[in-house]
Amino acid sequence: MELDAYRQMAATEDEHWWFCGRRAIAEAVIRGLGLPGDADILEIGAGTGGNIQMLEQFGAVTAVEMNDLARQIAREKTGHDFLAGHLPDGMPVASQGFDLICLFDVLEHVAEDEASLATIRRMLKPGGKVVLTVPAHQWLWSKHDVGLHHMRRYSRELLKARIEQAGYRIEKLSYTNAALFPVAALARLADRLRRSNTASGQAMPPKPINSAMKALFSAESRIVPNAELPFGVSLLAVFGKDAAFDAAPKGGRLAA
């Protein structure tokens, strides 16, 4: 991401409807996982630290972020020590160390997404879970994705294939941000038509609009833990190791 994007994230992630809604859904999903009370949690691509307080409800959090500025902002903001690291081959943590690994809109930034998922698998304790979100629908590609240095947006089928090929069993795979899907689609299509190099929808909206959008998005926290939405702007997946993967001949697949 551009450095200005990290500064904007730090300034808005506590109040902006999108960050708040994603955080509310993730919290509700994690709450239903039945983690141990002293869970060891890893957030990869922790950005400027907006999810740390939420995750610390569930256990001890290790945060990894590749960008120097983001780590500096996060340390100042949270008082938490953020480790330097990147996927797939630059992770500063031990194997089989974590009950929960979270990647909130990270995988789309990584060229080697399947190799990254295989790396993450090695860091899970037996019975551990991964909670992951990514942007959905390549046809929504716009200046927004370019500005954030996305490599791709995911279809449900592509994300499912990447996860399973890396040796996992999927427990949940749902779209999110369904209520605002028409608004987001129109905004992305408008970005394609506008001559501006900046994407719409990144700045903080006026307070009444932000509050209404936050309420709509956050309301999915009561749905997604128990059901799977059939459409939306993003995808959320929950998965753990597939034991059969370890017993099967690997062939040309990535060993994990």
Side-chain angles (χ1 to χ4, degrees):
M1 287 177 14
E2 301 289 347
L3 295 183
D4 284 346
Y6 287 112
R7 296 186 182 97
Q8 185 176 44
M9 179 191 298
T12 62
E13 64 185 339
D14 291 339
E15 296 295 333
H16 193 285
W17 66 269
W18 187 83
F19 290 108
C20 291
R22 185 185 67 177
R23 199 158 46 238
I25 295 167
E27 178 179 353
V29 168
I30 293 169
R31 197 172 298 282
L33 294 181
L35 295 174
D38 57 348
D40 292 308
I41 300 169
L42 172 66
E43 185 182 9
I44 301 174
T48 55
N51 300 311
I52 297 299
Q53 186 175 5
M54 179 272 287
L55 291 173
E56 284 182 331
Q57 298 177 78
F58 303 102
V61 180
T62 299
V64 174
E65 168 57 44
M66 68 176 291
N67 184 268
D68 294 340
L69 175 62
R71 291 197 308 276
Q72 176 186 336
I73 293 172
R75 281 193 295 266
E76 294 170 356
K77 180 178 177 179
T78 69
H80 197 286
D81 187 26
F82 280 54
L83 302 178
H86 59 85
L87 290 169
D89 55 2
M91 294 301 296
V93 293
S95 297
Q96 297 194 38
F98 298 98
D99 301 288
L100 173 66
I101 299 178
C102 297
L103 297 89
F104 299 125
D105 290 82
V106 172
L107 198 64
E108 68 273 14
H109 294 273
V110 182
E112 298 173 277
D113 54 353
E114 188 178 333
S116 296
L117 290 169
T119 294
I120 291 163
R121 192 178 190 275
R122 292 191 288 269
M123 296 187 289
L124 277 178
K125 289 181 181 178
K129 308 295 181 188
V130 180
V131 176
L132 173 152
T133 62
V134 292
H137 305 300
Q138 188 64 26
W139 61 266
L140 284 178
W141 185 270
S142 72
K143 295 181 179 72
H144 174 84
D145 299 282
V146 174
L148 294 177
H149 294 184
H150 290 172
M151 299 282 183
R152 68 194 74 79
R153 300 179 71 96
Y154 285 85
S155 66
R156 191 180 189 281
E157 294 73 22
L158 176 61
L159 183 59
K160 180 176 184 291
R162 289 288 188 268
I163 293 169
E164 291 180 343
Q165 288 162 2
Y168 297 96
R169 181 176 60 84
I170 296 173
E171 299 182 7
K172 175 175 289 294
L173 181 54
S174 175
Y175 287 100
T176 65
N177 203 357
L180 295 168
F181 180 71
V183 176
L186 287 172
R188 298 294 175 261
L189 293 173
D191 284 342
R192 293 182 185 179
L193 298 174
R194 293 186 311 130
R195 294 183 180 275
S196 172
N197 289 324
T198 60
S200 61
Q202 292 181 223
M204 177 73 76
K207 190 171 182 178
I209 296 175
N210 187 64
S211 296
M213 296 174 79
K214 179 171 23 177
L216 279 171
F217 193 9
S218 298
E220 294 181 9
S221 65
R222 298 190 290 273
I223 302 170
V224 174
N226 305 304
E228 295 184 359
L229 297 174
F231 62 90
V233 183
S234 300
L235 283 158
L236 178 143
V238 179
F239 47 95
K241 292 182 180 180
D242 182 356
F245 182 86
D246 294 314
K250 296 300 182 288
R253 295 186 301 178
L254 289 166

